[in-house]
Amino acid sequence: MNAAALPVSSGHLKLFQTEKTYSITHCLTAAKTISKASRFIKEGKASIGIYPEGTRNHQEEMLPFMPGAFKIAKKAGCPIVVATLKNNGEIAKRAPFRSTNVQLEFVGVLDKDYVANNSTVHLSDTARSMMEKSLCS
């Protein structure tokens, strides 16, 4: 299998955050990825989990959120389930020989009407605020 095809075939949709042109034919543009992800949701083919920071973060504070996650929800007309992961940074340090306790907390839901009636910036700010409150408790 071509390594460039691996993210798509394994259930991942790569969302590029820059305007660069990529030569790998299996990589989709951000707009196509957003459309494809929203179509999967609308057709009931997938529920999609997204790290809204857009990259790994090894700091205590969250990085700025990328708008793609919120654009997908708006285009799909679906709610956003806001959740946090605690201690997931330890997985790579301990794997594969030692287990790691990771805490997943569902913080709340932004219902589909709220998603439809607010900007992606507002949705991002709201989700971030919910997550920060959860992580500080």
Side-chain angles (χ1 to χ4, degrees):
M1 172 181 281
N2 180 340
L6 186 60
V8 175
S9 66
S10 65
H12 297 83
L13 297 173
K14 179 69 176 165
L15 183 60
F16 292 111
Q17 301 165 11
T18 65
E19 296 296 324
K20 294 179 183 177
T21 301
Y22 292 86
S23 61
I24 302 171
T25 58
H26 293 92
C27 293
L28 305 171
T29 64
K32 286 181 181 178
T33 302
I34 289 168
S35 292
K36 188 172 188 174
S38 65
R39 189 177 72 247
F40 284 170
I41 294 168
K42 285 180 189 177
E43 294 172 356
K45 292 181 178 178
S47 295
I48 297 176
I50 297 175
Y51 291 88
E53 293 170 289
T55 189
R56 290 180 185 94
N57 180 10
H58 302 288
Q59 303 170 10
E60 291 293 319
E61 295 83 28
M62 288 187 288
L63 298 173
F65 284 5
M66 301 291 137
F70 307 98
K71 289 179 182 178
I72 291 168
K74 284 187 75 67
K75 189 170 179 98
C78 69
I80 297 172
V81 177
V82 181
T84 59
L85 282 173
K86 294 179 183 175
N87 205 38
N88 59 318
E90 294 299 310
I91 295 171
K93 296 176 190 174
R94 300 172 61 92
F97 303 110
R98 294 173 53 199
S99 64
T100 304
N101 290 321
V102 176
Q103 182 181 6
L104 171 64
E105 181 179 349
F106 294 99
V107 179
V109 177
L110 305 178
D111 69 47
K112 66 181 183 177
D113 292 332
Y114 187 83
V115 171
N117 294 316
N118 286 282
S119 70
T120 56
V121 171
H122 182 76
L123 296 171
S124 174
D125 291 346
T126 302
R128 184 183 186 90
S129 176
M130 293 168 71
M131 293 170 77
E132 286 173 336
K133 287 178 187 173
S134 169
L135 292 169
C136 290
S137 61

